[in-house]
Amino acid sequence: MNSRRSFLTTLAGSTLAFHLLPKVQAAPVYDGPVLRVALMGLGGYANRVAEAMKDCKKAKLTGIISGTPSKIKDWQQRYGIAEKNCYNYDNFDTIKNNPDIDAVYVITPNALHHPHTIRAAKAGKHVICEKPMAISAKEAKEMVDTCNKANVKLLIGYRMHFEPKTLEVIRMREAGEFGKVLFFQGLCGFRIGDPTQWRLNKALAGGGSMMDIGIYALNGARYMVGEDPVWVTAQETKTNPEKFKAGVDETIQFQLGFPGGAVASCLSTYNMNNLDRFFLNGEKGFAEMQPSTGYGPIKGRTHKGELTQPHIRHQTIQMEEMADIILQHKKPIVPVDGTEGWKDMVIIDAVYEAVKTGKKVPIKY
Ligand code: NAD
């Protein structure tokens, strides 16, 4: 009896204590649609995306496409991927008949984005394609047209378009807090290692630093200024022609002119470390970010003070947002569709043209 009484007393006490505790709200369980994704090309970046997707509610890794059987086995074990959702580059067109996969995320070397995207679209799947979406504007246009014809969405892996501090600078610009935007500087580069890697092979990379890392400065110039450039001038320097063969640029400096009168000065390089910096200047204020496009945390400040928005793993937020764009037709603040990617390719074509001719090249979309 005593023990029962003491048990009840304890129970009553603990129940009372429970009621006195501040109420912690359980996070609502997500029960909306989920984008089921197959990753193609299981290299460095695909690994990063797959790890980040573990934290997604709206996107799920359900399939893989790889030319290496041992990687398929390893990934099946790591991510619990069903045998029927595993493909190689010869048979992945049959993904068409697989109801477990809504979208293919193309993360192969640059020159393969065009054929891989077109095959995935023809198999009736939405496509997410890594940057640069292609190796020329012509290819990019064909990818956009094919996806439109197949009635599937095409999105480009512009992860910075969802990054909270970047979006705050864009919000400030749109609210007029910088006044008229006059100048942007984008410095993007790293010192590349192994000379045998595909990034230094023109046939697979489509170019050099400009395709890989310079595109961040270029795309950044567009989303920071908020306009598409109308002319470009560009200069190339090459200190190591042995490592950076013909058609593979080591360092390019380029300048862009915008319709509103702003100018941008950008640097793209495979030969310098610690280059990841944006600076935007307007009549009433400025923003500076360093690092500006790395995996983060992004750091930055404006004339108003430090940017304090939280760091969220870029690939997690990207996949959550892309799920909403594809399945719920959500409109992102900065576009990530094929046309956005095609514009970057038009500008990259013009950068290479300006390097070749030494002339100011008009950009026509
Ligand atoms: P990686 O070399 O690590 O991986 C490439 C994968 O493609 C490998 O698994 C390789 O086996 C496979 N592949 C298939 N066919 C191939 C072929 N014919 N030749 C060579 N490899 C072949 O490269 P990565 O760093 O993962 O880059 C892949 C893509 O992702 C590139 O387009 C790159 O620009 C992009 N990327 C984007 C970001 C970003 O932050 N958005 C970061 C890194 C890479």
Side-chain angles (χ1 to χ4, degrees):
M1 188 68 186
N2 265 353
S3 67
R4 186 166 183 268
R5 181 174 296 133
S6 76
F7 168 74
L8 289 174
T9 312
T10 313
L11 178 69
S14 63
T15 310
L16 185 66
F18 178 77
H19 284 294
L20 290 175
L21 279 174
K23 282 206 173 113
V24 180
Q25 291 281 327
V29 178
Y30 177 75
D31 64 355
V34 173
L35 183 75
R36 294 154 314 161
V37 180
L39 296 190
M40 175 190 287
L42 307 181
Y45 196 61
N47 270 278
R48 192 175 281 276
V49 171
E51 280 304 299
M53 283 182 73
K54 285 180 178 169
D55 293 333
C56 287
K57 300 187 310 268
K58 300 176 178 179
K60 187 174 167 20
L61 174 61
T62 55
I64 43 179
I65 301 144
S66 170
T68 314
S70 59
K71 274 194 206 166
I72 293 199
K73 282 232 149 45
D74 176 40
W75 276 61
Q76 275 191 278
Q77 275 166 11
R78 273 158 64 198
Y79 300 106
I81 293 164
E83 187 70 31
K84 67 180 181 55
N85 294 350
C86 298
Y87 297 87
N88 60 41
Y89 293 103
D90 296 327
N91 68 14
F92 88 78
D93 306 271
T94 60
I95 208 167
K96 191 185 179 93
N97 310 315
N98 191 329
D100 292 347
I101 292 163
D102 305 306
V104 173
Y105 192 162
V106 176
I107 319 186
T108 48
N110 307 343
L112 304 175
H113 294 176
H114 172 265
H116 287 158
T117 294
I118 285 181
R119 280 173 68 186
K122 285 188 173 164
K125 301 299 175 185
H126 299 293
V127 185
I128 303 170
C129 177
E130 257 317 311
K131 47 55 60 179
M133 73 178 281
I135 58 170
S136 69
K138 180 177 172 285
E139 279 191 1
K141 177 79 169 46
E142 283 167 9
M143 292 157 73
V144 170
D145 290 347
T146 304
C147 289
N148 282 340
K149 210 167 146 200
N151 205 19
V152 296
K153 287 208 166 90
L154 170 60
L155 306 182
I156 313 304
Y158 289 126
R159 61 187 161 74
M160 299 315 296
H161 292 201
F162 305 106
E163 196 280 318
K165 292 187 182 72
T166 304
L167 290 179
E168 171 59 9
V169 173
I170 291 168
R171 185 203 64 71
M172 286 177 67
R173 185 202 67 232
E174 286 177 349
E177 295 186 30
F178 300 118
K180 184 174 156 59
V181 171
L182 301 170
F183 179 73
F184 171 79
Q185 183 189 44
L187 311 176
C188 293
F190 62 96
R191 208 177 163 95
I192 199 161
D194 178 12
T196 65
Q197 64 187 289
W198 68 259
R199 281 185 165 79
L200 297 175
N201 173 344
K202 162 90 172 153
L204 283 172
S209 75
M210 192 63 222
M211 286 282 177
D212 190 35
I213 190 78
I215 191 169
Y216 284 97
L218 166 59
N219 188 254
R222 294 177 52 223
Y223 63 67
M224 296 287 276
V225 172
E227 294 176 7
D228 295 329
V230 289
W231 58 257
V232 61
T233 48
Q235 308 81 36
E236 179 177 7
T237 27
K238 199 173 274 201
T239 63
N240 187 348
E242 189 56 41
K243 185 169 181 180
F244 303 99
K245 304 234 159 36
V248 179
D249 48 284
E250 178 186 318
T251 300
I252 291 183
Q253 292 186 67
F254 60 97
Q255 303 77 39
L256 303 165
F258 292 85
V263 288
S265 171
C266 300
L267 178 65
S268 162
T269 183
Y270 267 160
N271 200 28
M272 292 173 223
N273 280 331
N274 310 310
L275 271 188
D276 185 2
R277 179 180 151 80
F278 280 5
F279 176 69
L280 182 74
N281 203 21
E283 274 176 346
K284 293 203 280 189
F286 69 90
E288 58 184 1
M289 309 178 90
Q290 183 176 4
S292 56
T293 66
Y295 297 137
I298 300 302
K299 289 194 181 130
R301 65 185 186 112
T302 71
H303 57 284
K304 285 171 37 182
E306 202 172 324
L307 291 164
T308 54
Q309 289 66 30
H311 171 65
I312 308 170
R313 191 143 55 154
H314 295 177
Q315 295 79 12
T316 306
I317 189 170
Q318 175 198 312
M319 294 310 289
E320 291 286 80
E321 290 294 313
M322 285 188 167
D324 277 348
I325 294 168
I326 291 175
L327 299 175
Q328 314 260 44
H329 310 291
K330 183 175 174 182
K331 202 170 168 292
I333 294 166
V334 187
V336 286
D337 55 38
T339 300
E340 171 79 5
W342 166 76
K343 284 182 184 174
D344 278 355
M345 297 316 303
V346 170
I347 303 165
I348 290 179
D349 281 359
V351 167
Y352 284 133
E353 175 74 10
V355 164
K356 206 166 75 190
T357 61
K359 297 218 168 96
K360 183 172 179 176
V361 174
I363 303 170
K364 298 195 190 82
Y365 301 97

